[in-house]
Amino acid sequence: MDERMEHTMRYAAPRDHTTAREALTTAFAAMREKGYDAVNQIVGYLLSGDPTYITGYKNARYLMMRVERDELIEELVRVYMASGDSQ
């Protein structure tokens, strides 16, 4: 018997390393291009988890779904606090 068949092989599927910032930026731009209120749509998605709030245009929905919602919120808070507009 082949020695390779006696051991469990580990396979690591390639991961999509979409960052929260990339997903939000892409989705925001795609929704603005389509004429949607991007802020309202993103808030709807973050509150409900319903991906239909995000357009499929430019793969925006797929990118948003690749990132956990809590990571998206963390990124929004981080950028907001760093912007100095938090007062």
Side-chain angles (χ1 to χ4, degrees):
M1 183 173 197
D2 188 355
E3 269 188 47
R4 291 179 297 169
M5 300 301 281
E6 293 179 15
H7 301 287
T8 301
M9 300 296 288
R10 177 174 270 186
Y11 173 75
R15 291 196 59 206
D16 181 356
H17 293 289
T18 302
T19 66
R21 183 178 295 237
E22 291 169 334
L24 286 162
T25 302
T26 300
F28 188 87
M31 288 187 284
R32 298 269 317 259
E33 264 187 62
K34 294 299 268 180
Y36 300 126
D37 180 346
V39 171
N40 195 6
Q41 296 300 109
I42 290 172
V43 168
Y45 171 68
L46 293 173
L47 291 176
S48 71
D50 182 354
T52 60
Y53 277 98
I54 307 299
T55 182
Y57 181 63
K58 292 194 174 179
N59 225 15
R61 183 178 300 150
Y62 172 78
L63 292 174
M64 289 288 279
M65 291 174 59
R66 300 296 304 158
V67 181
E68 295 292 328
R69 285 186 297 154
D70 64 320
E71 292 177 48
L72 296 169
I73 293 168
E74 286 175 19
E75 180 64 17
L76 291 169
V77 171
R78 188 177 4 269
V79 170
Y80 178 77
M81 297 306 291
S83 73
D85 290 341
S86 58
Q87 269 94 52

